[in-house]
Amino acid sequence: VQGSQAGNYVVEVANGASPSPVLSSNATLTVTYPVANVRLFGTNIVSGRPVTLPIRIAANGNENAVSFSLTYTTTRLNFRTVQLGDFPPGTLLFVNTSQTNLGRLGVTVALPSGATFVPGTQLLSGVTFDAIISLAVSPVITQVSFGDSPMVRGLTDGNALTLPATFTGGSVTLSGTDLEGDDS
């Protein structure tokens, strides 16, 4: 059942013994989509190197735009760039870097008017950070979470109506870096 099939339906019942069919009262069919999920996938990396974290959406097919902020620890990660997933021409990627010094980054992905995300899981964007060098013997885990500053989390349909969504963060595990040097 698709969202376009929602509405009122009537059943007509007839048989050979009755000269006229009988109509039922209206039956309303409502289509309720499951909650869409936006998720950041974490990874393991050797510290001192760049790391790109994929952000994916499990879409229902009625979504047009998504906004969110990422929060991260600036002593572990430095923001570098955001790349847009594979979307049609005219898709808007807006990146708000006004709070990266505080470990907060805002992102909006908006499809062209009338377009919607394809149902299923797809890459929204990839966010690249530079992982700060760590000399720790044990791996260091740093969280990358969704937040609401500088941009509020939200998912909307083509009419700019809010849709339910969950936002799930991830983590980056940084292993120590072996440094070489001359002692002269």
Side-chain angles (χ1 to χ4, degrees), residues 6-23:
N8 293 321
Y9 289 86
V10 176
V11 175
E12 183 177 300
V13 179
N15 66 25
S18 175
S20 59
V22 176
L23 295 178

Side-chain angles (χ1 to χ4, degrees), residues 24-49:
S24 71
S25 58
N26 281 344
T28 302
L29 172 64
T30 303
V31 178
T32 304
Y33 290 100
V35 175
N37 183 269
V38 178
R39 183 172 179 193
L40 180 140
F41 287 84
T43 190
N44 302 329
I45 184 92
V46 174
S47 67
R49 299 189 180 167

